[in-house]
Amino acid sequence: MSINQCFHCGQDIVLKDAHFFDGKEFCCKGCETVYEIFSLNGLSSYYDIERSPGTRPLSDDKKYDFLENQKIVEGLLEFNENGTQIVSLSVPHIHCSSCIWILENLRKLQPEIVSSQVNFHEKKVRINYNSDNFSLKDLVLLLAAIGYEPYISLDDYDSKTSDKDHSLTYKLGVAFFCFGNIMLLSFPEYFESKEFWLDQYKGFFRWLILLLSLPSFLYSASGYYVAAWNNLRAKILSIEIPIALGIIVMFVRSVADILLDRGPGFFDSMTGLIFFMLLGKAFQLKTYQFLNFERDFKSYFPIAVTRIKSGKEENIPVYEIVKGNRILIRNQEIIPVDGILISENAAIDYSFVTGEAVPVSKHSGDKIFAGGRLSGAVIEMEVLKAVSQSYLTQLWGNEAFQKKDVAGYHTITDRVSRYFTPILLLIAFAGFGYWIFIDSDIAFNVFTAVLIVACPCALALTAPFTLGNILRILGRTKCYLKNTLVIEQMAKVDTIVFDKTGTITTNSKTAISYEGNALNIQQQKLVRNLLRASNHPLSRMIYEHLPESDKLSVTHFEDIVGKGISGTIEGHHVKIGSSSFAGNDEKNPIIKTMVNITIDDVYLGRFLIHNEYRAGLTELFTKLQKKYTVKILSGDNEGEREVLESLLPNGIELVFNQNPEGKLDFIRKLQQKGCNVMMIGDGLNDAGALRQSNVGIALSENVNVFSPACDAIIDAGEFEKLDRFMAMSKKAVHVIKLSFGLSLLYNLVGLSFAVTGNLLPIVAAIIMPLSTITIISFVTLAGNFYAYRLKVITVSQKNDERHILSESPKLILNQKITT
């Protein structure tokens, strides 16, 4: 009877039961329908990437009727606003590049789907769709119909976290049980002394050992067989292929030895090999989980949010926000949490979440979702739940805000891994061919040991673990990076550009004076309430300088970038900003940093800002100038030139009177000259320049400067450590090179012992995960060593960190974190 494979899912089908369509064979009507859907929608390339990549589609349409319950749907959605919904679904069937391709092209199957993004590591897909004519149930049924049925449980509804996959733990447990018992039963075989009862029952024990090896061979090692088979079908030579081949060769050889009564075989070595490889895999997975936990729940965003408590405003770290708090959001600030609007109305721009730039109108009592950006006057809102740093990290990492750069060390890793397996197979077969004519036992040992001992895992883990550890270290010193690529980009920087106001100047110690017509109490109140809506550093300084007053609502609020702000308060039109914007007609204005005030078209006067520069500025710039080209940009006039020239070392270029567009153009011209530029600004007002630069860093000083345009956020208190952070990025590259060398040395030494027949397969199995552990330990210790040597981490910071964690148990409990 002829047996073929289904063109869609690859399952075996008997010819008489096959379904035929378009010259292809399918195991069921469902697979045939999926193929037809893909073909009609121009998605037939799905089958070009991988061979038979699909799975059987769902046949039970009633399974997801519970998604008609709106309360359950609301609990699953990440975002639900103005006809746009976003949901993250766990899809266990994601296993190859075809899966990623089809799931990221769902919009071709259903026009209501705006975009979809796959997280291959977590096997999740995040889908943005229009909900007016397309529901979550329709989406789930569509995924199920094409063979990607999502996993939805009550855990998703309650906490948006699905059950963890414990299959590796189960496989490890089975492998350990088999390995331990087989070693016990094989113990007499290790001694050649004759003993009646052992000789009498030797055959029984050998067959018992064979029986005990089956769970480990068939179940514990199954992941390697599946991965090897999938990669072979895709014509990819991955590391799983030699591992699976080595295990199968050892099993077949051992069975042959028992059948021919030539000896006990290598079941002890085989089960030991499987156990130690799974142990190494589990260690690697735990380390990844630790790094992710550290990043999401210990390396807090160094940004602040204004909380209103007992009628007073206070700036608190974003991670201290809890349910029920009332917070203040200013113009252009990102809303960090879901909440209820308390103010009368607001305009929210959700372009960072949905891609739609048109602001959504909100009214008092409406729900506001995290990730929106306020457009207009200041608002107050009540928090519905604590900050989800993982969500902010995801928002920050949106593709739209990624720098178009190549991760060089990842490219090297990929290239090495690509050629590693074919070379390894060639060495294994060559060693086997040489030894088979000398000693068949040694030949099989050489073949298996070569396949097992040489592993590109250590090479592949070098870059991600080194950069991941540096990311963690910097995060715990209040330098929070968007991703590991930023570290590599920082190491390439040769030019550093600083914004002046709010970056090299500090808001906390700045002296402010006023010139002009004296402001009465009512006028001070009007000015303060308009300034309350602005996040510009100068606005924050003057706002703190003015005496506290009643909170008044602002209408017709406008924030004209590079010029100033205006609005109407109790019928009075107030304008605050530059001389030209506020109507200062002086022919010879004072050359100082100043903010002009106009009320009801009458120019009243100006606030003069006597800047206080950050502590350690001279020392920092002296250190940076030795290794980088340093420049300063400012939107102010040249009133501070003499002060800066006296503070800073010679040779630093000072450029004044630069509006946001001018700053962006300045960065672009430097890049056109071949410079690799890092820009340091205040995050929101310099967003264009930050995004244009190769590395954009926002400096945070008691304000919410979170913007997807920047690559890093540094707490202002750590500003003087900037040279150390830059040095740390270069040391990260140095550690990568050292660990690459260590990995190559391990493989060369291991192969030389294996080819010469001096390495048993079980010893190779122990050494293989040890190489991974060695690399992880090396990069961790080296990273920590350089962090202490460069004084990136200090003893006092370790104590502060313990204090932060001890003061934040509610956050950990609210997030339901389990370590």
Side-chain angles (χ1 to χ4, degrees):
M1 187 176 294
S2 179
I3 298 178
N4 294 331
Q5 287 186 328
C6 175
F7 182 75
H8 174 71
C9 71
Q11 291 193 20
D12 292 338
I13 49 174
V14 180
L15 192 58
K16 68 181 185 67
D17 298 327
H19 294 252
F20 293 91
F21 178 80
D22 198 22
K24 310 288 191 302
E25 297 176 30
F26 301 93
C27 63
C28 63
K29 189 65 178 176
C31 288
E32 178 189 333
T33 304
V34 173
Y35 171 79
E36 188 175 359
I37 291 172
F38 288 172
S39 299
L40 291 174
N41 288 277
L43 296 172
S44 54
S45 298
Y46 173 69
Y47 299 100
D48 297 335
I49 303 172
E50 303 274 350
R51 182 183 172 189
S52 303
T55 55
R56 279 195 175 191
L58 175 71
S59 58
D60 182 9
D61 292 342
K62 302 293 184 182
K63 182 176 180 180
Y64 292 104
D65 283 351
F66 67 90
L67 291 178
E68 294 174 0
N69 185 317
Q70 286 305 307
K71 285 188 176 181
I72 293 177
V73 171
E74 284 291 334
L76 293 169
L77 294 174
E78 287 184 359
F79 182 85
N80 182 15
E81 190 66 64
N82 206 29
T84 297
Q85 294 182 346
I86 298 178
V87 66
S88 288
L89 296 171
S90 175
V91 183
H93 294 307
I94 297 174
H95 68 281
C96 66
S97 52
S98 285
C99 301
I100 298 172
W101 186 83
I102 195 65
L103 288 172
E104 293 195 344
N105 282 278
L106 289 175
R107 62 187 182 280
K108 294 183 180 180
L109 293 177
Q110 172 51 253
E112 298 297 332
I113 295 176
V114 178
S115 65
S116 50
Q117 188 175 3
V118 173
N119 184 327
F120 184 76
H121 178 66
E122 295 183 4
K123 296 189 183 299
K124 286 186 176 181
V125 57
R126 188 170 188 258
I127 303 171
N128 178 344
Y129 61 96
N130 297 320
S131 59
D132 293 334
N133 301 308
F134 188 69
S135 67
L136 179 60
K137 180 184 176 182
D138 296 331
L139 173 63
V140 170
L141 289 176
L142 171 65
L143 290 171
I146 61 174
Y148 291 97
E149 181 184 356
Y151 170 76
I152 301 175
S153 71
L154 289 177
D155 287 332
D156 296 309
Y157 170 63
D158 186 42
S159 62
K160 290 190 174 70
T161 57
S162 58
D163 288 337
K164 292 181 179 179
D165 184 8
H166 296 290
S167 60
L168 179 59
T169 306
Y170 300 148
K171 289 178 180 178
L172 188 60
V174 170
F176 179 68
F177 173 81
C178 296
F179 173 53
N181 282 282
I182 288 173
M183 285 292 290
L184 182 65
L185 293 172
S186 300
F187 198 76
E189 297 277 2
Y190 301 146
F191 302 95
E192 296 183 358
S193 58
K194 298 293 182 179
E195 208 283 326
F196 174 77
W197 289 108
L198 290 179
D199 290 339
Q200 190 75 14
Y201 292 99
K202 186 177 290 185
F204 170 76
F205 282 121
R206 287 178 178 178
W207 282 101
L208 184 59
I209 288 171
L210 171 60
L211 189 65
L212 279 170
S213 72
L214 290 176
S216 181
F217 176 71
L218 298 174
Y219 173 66
S220 297
S222 60
Y224 294 107
Y225 309 143
V226 172
W229 175 245
N230 288 335
N231 286 314
L232 281 173
R233 290 199 306 174
K235 298 179 181 179
I236 298 172
L237 290 176
S238 68
I239 187 58
E240 285 84 4
I241 294 172
I243 291 175
L245 185 60
I247 293 171
I248 292 170
V249 167
M250 290 180 77
F251 181 79
V252 172
R253 165 73 191 279
S254 300
V255 171
D257 282 351
I258 289 178
L259 290 174
L260 300 174
D261 198 25
R262 294 180 54 189
F266 300 92
F267 290 115
D268 50 353
S269 299
M270 184 197 74
T271 52
L273 165 68
I274 295 169
F275 169 69
F276 285 113
M277 285 195 301
L278 290 175
L279 189 65
K281 192 174 181 180
F283 177 81
Q284 178 183 331
L285 183 63
K286 284 293 182 184
T287 307
Y288 268 125
Q289 289 173 350
F290 169 74
L291 291 177
N292 288 336
F293 176 82
E294 287 271 307
R295 178 156 171 80
D296 281 345
F297 301 106
K298 287 191 178 180
S299 305
Y300 299 111
F301 271 104
I303 60 176
V305 174
T306 303
R307 180 172 65 185
I308 301 172
K309 191 174 183 181
S310 301
K312 294 185 177 181
E313 296 173 9
E314 59 180 358
N315 294 316
I316 62 168
V318 68
Y319 56 80
E320 288 187 10
I321 298 174
V322 295
K323 182 179 179 180
N325 282 170
R326 180 173 290 198
I327 62 174
L328 187 78
I329 305 294
R330 299 180 182 87
N331 181 44
Q332 297 301 303
E333 287 185 351
I334 300 291
I335 297 165
V337 290
D338 293 351
I340 299 295
L341 180 63
I342 302 297
S343 302
E344 188 175 344
N345 50 58
I348 311 297
D349 174 7
Y350 282 113
S351 58
F352 291 157
V353 183
T354 66
E356 295 292 332
V358 180
V360 177
S361 295
K362 288 292 180 182
H363 304 285
S364 183
D366 289 349
K367 184 177 180 179
I368 301 177
F369 288 90
R373 181 175 62 179
L374 179 64
S375 297
V378 65
I379 64 168
E380 295 180 15
M381 58 182 284
E382 184 172 318
V383 176
L384 287 177
K385 59 182 179 181
V387 169
S388 169
Q389 176 139 327
S390 57
Y391 178 76
L392 289 179
T393 305
Q394 184 182 49
L395 174 68
W396 201 14
N398 191 302
E399 276 189 352
F401 307 106
Q402 297 294 339
K403 299 284 170 70
K404 304 299 181 184
D405 197 10
V406 178
Y409 298 100
H410 293 291
T411 307
I412 293 171
T413 301
D414 294 340
R415 192 181 301 125
V416 170
S417 298
R418 189 182 310 141
Y419 295 111
F420 193 94
T421 301
I423 293 173
L424 179 60
L425 289 170
L426 186 64
I427 294 172
F429 281 108
F432 180 81
Y434 172 79
W435 282 103
I436 193 67
F437 299 107
I438 301 172
D439 189 319
S440 61
D441 287 339
I442 295 178
F444 278 101
N445 282 344
V446 166
F447 183 77
T448 309
V450 167
L451 291 177
I452 300 306
V453 73
C455 178
C457 297
L459 289 169
L461 290 175
T462 291
F465 270 101
T466 302
L467 298 175
N469 187 47
I470 301 300
L471 198 74
R472 179 184 66 86
I473 291 170
L474 294 180
R476 297 178 84 167
T477 55
K478 300 180 182 179
C479 174
Y480 201 90
L481 307 186
K482 180 183 287 187
N483 50 42
T484 55
L485 182 58
V486 178
I487 300 172
E488 294 187 44
Q489 292 168 329
M490 285 174 66
K492 299 175 187 175
V493 165
D494 53 37
T495 304
I496 303 177
V497 178
F498 291 87
D499 177 52
K500 183 177 79 71
T501 306
T503 304
I504 63 173
T505 63
T506 176
N507 301 347
S508 57
K509 298 179 182 179
T510 300
I512 299 173
S513 62
Y514 177 77
E515 289 184 356
N517 299 327
L519 300 177
N520 59 39
I521 294 175
Q522 177 64 16
Q523 289 170 334
Q524 289 183 23
K525 187 187 298 184
L526 296 176
V527 171
R528 195 171 196 270
N529 275 278
L530 183 61
L531 290 170
R532 185 170 179 252
S534 173
N535 57 46
H536 193 279
L538 295 179
S539 298
R540 307 307 312 140
M541 292 178 199
I542 301 171
Y543 176 78
E544 297 293 339
H545 172 73
L546 291 171
E548 286 197 22
S549 61
D550 298 334
K551 305 299 186 290
L552 305 176
S553 62
V554 180
T555 58
H556 305 100
F557 178 85
E558 279 190 288
D559 187 344
I560 302 174
V561 178
K563 294 185 178 181
I565 56 176
S566 65
T568 302
I569 308 171
E570 293 188 337
H572 298 282
H573 186 60
V574 185
K575 296 179 76 174
I576 304 174
S578 65
S579 296
S580 59
F581 179 75
N584 181 1
D585 296 327
E586 281 189 34
K587 294 183 180 179
N588 298 304
I590 298 173
I591 302 179
K592 284 186 177 179
T593 302
M594 58 185 178
V595 177
N596 298 270
I597 309 294
T598 295
I599 299 178
D600 293 331
D601 297 324
V602 177
Y603 179 75
L604 297 177
R606 61 200 166 211
F607 287 97
L608 300 179
I609 314 298
H610 306 277
N611 290 306
E612 180 74 25
Y613 290 92
R614 296 193 184 280
L617 184 68
T618 304
E619 293 80 2
L620 173 65
F621 273 65
T622 302
K623 292 175 183 176
L624 289 175
Q625 196 183 33
K626 293 177 182 178
K627 299 178 181 178
Y628 306 95
T629 302
V630 183
K631 302 176 186 292
I632 293 178
L633 294 181
S634 175
D636 298 334
N637 55 44
E638 300 203 13
E640 295 284 315
R641 179 180 286 276
E642 290 186 9
V643 177
L644 283 170
E645 287 178 345
S646 65
L647 273 175
L648 304 177
N650 296 329
I652 293 179
E653 184 180 0
L654 307 175
V655 184
F656 294 92
N657 300 305
Q658 295 293 304
N659 59 22
E661 292 78 14
K663 293 177 183 178
L664 189 152
D665 190 53
F666 186 87
I667 300 294
R668 186 185 291 119
K669 286 179 179 177
L670 286 174
Q671 291 172 325
Q672 289 171 352
K673 293 177 183 177
C675 298
N676 218 300
V677 184
M678 182 169 80
M679 170 73 186
I680 305 174
D682 65 14
L684 297 175
N685 300 289
D686 301 317
L690 291 172
R691 186 174 180 184
Q692 177 63 38
S693 61
N694 300 90
V695 180
I697 297 180
L699 199 70
S700 169
E701 187 171 31
N702 291 329
V703 289
N704 182 351
V705 298
F706 175 59
S707 169
C710 64
D711 299 298
I713 303 172
I714 298 179
D715 186 272
E718 306 298 318
F719 177 73
E720 60 183 316
K721 286 186 179 179
L722 182 64
D723 63 310
R724 303 176 206 176
F725 296 150
M726 299 299 293
M728 195 69 194
S729 68
K730 291 185 180 295
K731 290 299 182 184
V733 174
H734 182 62
V735 170
I736 288 174
K737 291 178 180 178
L738 285 176
S739 49
F740 260 128
L742 190 63
S743 301
L744 289 172
L745 179 65
Y746 155 78
N747 280 290
L748 288 173
V749 172
L751 282 172
S752 63
F753 275 92
V755 169
T756 54
N758 294 313
L759 189 66
L760 293 173
I762 190 169
V763 178
I766 295 171
I767 293 174
M768 181 186 170
L770 279 178
S771 69
T772 302
I773 295 170
T774 303
I775 290 298
I776 293 173
S777 301
F778 172 76
V779 299
T780 302
L781 291 173
N784 291 339
F785 169 75
Y786 284 124
Y788 281 104
R789 185 179 178 183
L790 295 170
K791 297 183 179 178
V792 173
I793 295 177
T794 61
V795 176
S796 61
Q797 280 183 322
K798 293 289 283 184
N799 294 333
D800 290 343
E801 178 186 297
R802 293 190 190 100
H803 174 70
I804 288 172
L805 292 177
S806 65
E807 290 295 316
S808 305
K810 291 180 181 178
L811 172 71
I812 303 299
L813 290 173
N814 287 338
Q815 295 285 2
K816 296 184 179 177
I817 300 305
T818 53
T819 309

